[in-house]
Amino acid sequence: MSTNDCRIGDDDASLGSGPVDAGLQVSNEETSTGERDAEKGQVPGNTQVDPFGDESNAEVKYRTLHWWQAGMIMIAETISLGILSLPSVLATIGMIPGMLLILVLGCLATYTGFVIGQFKLRYPHVHNMADAGEVMLGPIGREVFGFAQISFLVFCMGSHILTFSIMMNTLTSHATCTVTYGVAGTLICLLLTLPRRLGPVSYMAILSFISILSAVTITTVGVAVENPGPSRVALTAHPALPTGFLAVTNIIYAYSGHVAFFNFISELRTPADYPRALFLLQGVDTSLYLLVAALIYRFVGPDVASPALGSTSPLLRKIAYGVAIPTIVIAGVINGHVACKYVYVRCFRGTGLMAQTLFSYGMWALIALGLWTVAWVIAEAIPVFNDLLGLISAVFASWFTYGLSGVFWLFINWGRYRQDRWKMALTGVNVFLVAMGALICVLGLYSSALSIAANQSGAGSQGAFSCKDNSANLS
């Protein structure tokens, strides 16, 4: 099979020529194009430098990941909290529309992830979304994309702190103030974020995946045993627009790992192996999402909770949450690590200050402390699980997972949109992705704002910085 047989993006960047070589290929033409862009000043400043420099004699080596390690980190980052909201999505919009959306959005997420790999190979110095923004829009793009990336990651960190407090309230039957549990979760995540390399995190990622897989298995088996009667599922449903679209944003959150893909590729020993990690992630997450969402909704019906672990009996609920502790913590730590790495590289790139020194380690710790503190504030300010996921998806995941990849493809293929029929078709696909990102952002933000306002003002609302038991109000 030739390298042109599997084209899904740029003509010069394609999948490998056989079933074993699944790496991305970049032609000399593409490499020279990237060099010319740098010479023209489109990639100004020291950001042209590889983020970790020459590591041949470095004390701290960052490019250490094998493709399977990167794949496990991507799985741990992606398959965590998102899967816990999917059964309630089916309860809101119906079994058939929900399953179709999970499948279609998963396929699109695979394509957009591949485009991110193409962009990285065209511009090897790109380490994060901010660098990509600078390539396309100069210094302004760098600041806008950088602010959006760090904001998204911190909101994700906050969602893990919120879930940690729900988990602790469930396990202890609300033995103390919910804010206390939030602080405890923040401190645990902070300590685990202190290692500066992704290599050690990859082994924690394996534990995280085993944890979430075991937790959803316990929940699925538990609800099947507890509710053996006839199915109460609705094949289709007709919710109000804000309610229905908020459910759709929860699916998008389940595929929201793309924001960190540049970082993961940068720490691969062989960046051309990235597609293997991507296809491992997308094969596992899409299959698991479809199976878990359908089975839990089938047995629980319209009253399914979100997070879904709350749909079982009190005893099984405690067991499931106990088993889920590693994924609740570790997936948050991965987001925290990527957020810290962005700030760290942004401050010290090209300075030689990322070596094994007390100063560099102290700065990493201070960055982690600051970001986890902000994440804790967010978790306490938006204490309803679905509302927080919906807001994150609307404002950030809509662009990082879908819209921006369309922009990346249009940028690296500028001037070749009508080259042939294949290129014209792909141009249409990527224009659609940009429009899709914009639509999800606008409608999702509107739906999330209405839901947050209703939950904050309604009777029995949790309220910001509240000591109330947030596990008693799963929705």
Side-chain angles (χ1 to χ4, degrees), residues 321-448:
Y321 267 113
V323 172
I325 291 175
T327 198
I328 291 171
V329 173
I330 294 171
V333 168
I334 293 173
N335 284 307
H337 182 100
V338 175
C340 292
K341 187 67 67 69
Y342 164 71
V343 178
Y344 187 67
V345 171
R346 175 73 185 267
C347 293
F348 302 115
R349 184 182 208 158
T351 65
L353 295 177
M354 290 192 286
Q356 191 76 17
T357 64
L358 183 61
F359 172 79
S360 63
Y361 195 80
M363 290 305 300
W364 176 273
L366 285 175
I367 291 168
L369 175 62
L371 293 178
W372 277 111
T373 301
V374 176
W376 171 77
V377 172
I378 291 171
E380 297 298 333
I382 308 176
V384 179
F385 184 74
N386 273 4
D387 287 348
L388 183 53
L389 297 195
L391 181 63
I392 294 170
S393 301
V395 179
F396 303 112
S398 58
W399 289 108
F400 287 131
T401 301
Y402 297 107
L404 283 183
S405 288
V407 175
F408 293 156
W409 188 93
L410 293 171
F411 181 82
I412 62 179
N413 287 279
W414 180 265
R416 294 189 291 168
Y417 301 154
R418 293 181 164 182
Q419 181 173 304
D420 52 37
R421 290 183 179 180
W422 174 253
K423 189 70 71 176
M424 291 172 66
L426 285 173
T427 300
V429 169
N430 286 278
V431 169
F432 167 76
L433 286 172
V434 176
M436 174 181 163
L439 180 65
I440 293 170
C441 182
V442 173
L443 290 181
L445 187 58
Y446 167 73
S447 302
S448 298

Side-chain angles (χ1 to χ4, degrees), residues 35 85 90 98 169 178 233 313 342 365 368 371 404 414 431 435 439 467:
E35 292 171 351
S85 68
L90 302 191
N169 273 322
T178 296
V233 304
S313 64
Y342 164 71
L371 293 178
L404 283 183
W414 180 265
V431 169
L439 180 65
C467 279

Side-chain angles (χ1 to χ4, degrees), residues 192-346:
L192 292 176
T193 308
L194 293 180
R196 287 181 291 171
R197 294 186 300 112
L198 276 173
V201 178
S202 67
Y203 297 102
M204 289 194 290
I206 296 173
L207 175 61
S208 175
F209 177 63
I210 295 173
S211 167
I212 191 63
L213 186 62
S214 300
V216 296
T217 300
I218 291 170
T219 301
T220 304
V221 173
V223 297
V225 172
E226 293 170 357
N227 305 282
S231 172
R232 296 185 294 153
V233 304
L235 296 181
T236 59
H238 303 87
L241 176 62
T243 304
F245 209 83
L246 186 63
V248 173
T249 60
N250 285 337
I251 301 177
I252 293 167
Y253 183 84
Y255 293 111
S256 63
H258 291 51
V259 67
F261 286 2
F262 282 130
N263 302 69
F264 299 152
I265 301 171
S266 295
E267 298 197 34
L268 277 169
R269 291 187 180 189
T270 308
D273 285 342
Y274 161 71
R276 299 182 182 183
L278 174 67
F279 296 148
L280 173 63
L281 162 68
Q282 290 302 123
V284 171
D285 69 3
T286 304
S287 301
L288 199 57
Y289 291 165
L290 289 168
L291 185 64
V292 170
L295 287 177
I296 293 180
Y297 176 50
R298 153 66 179 82
F299 289 107
V300 179
D303 299 323
V304 63
S306 181
L309 302 185
S311 299
T312 59
S313 64
L315 176 60
L316 277 180
R317 188 179 309 164
K318 290 185 178 183
I319 294 173
Y321 267 113
V323 172
I325 291 175
T327 198
I328 291 171
V329 173
I330 294 171
V333 168
I334 293 173
N335 284 307
H337 182 100
V338 175
C340 292
K341 187 67 67 69
Y342 164 71
V343 178
Y344 187 67
V345 171
R346 175 73 185 267

Side-chain angles (χ1 to χ4, degrees), residues 36-95:
R36 288 197 300 272
D37 290 342
E39 292 171 359
K40 291 176 183 177
Q42 288 185 315
V43 191
N46 66 356
T47 55
Q48 296 178 35
V49 180
D50 182 281
F52 305 117
D54 181 7
E55 292 189 334
S56 55
N57 297 310
E59 294 177 336
V60 181
K61 289 181 169 61
Y62 293 95
R63 292 190 294 270
T64 59
L65 294 180
H66 296 285
W67 72 266
W68 65 266
Q69 290 177 299
M72 290 308 303
I73 292 175
M74 292 161 72
I75 287 172
E77 181 216 10
T78 305
I79 306 177
S80 55
L81 303 187
I83 193 173
L84 303 181
S85 68
L86 296 183
S88 70
V89 170
L90 302 191
T92 301
I93 64 177
M95 173 75 84

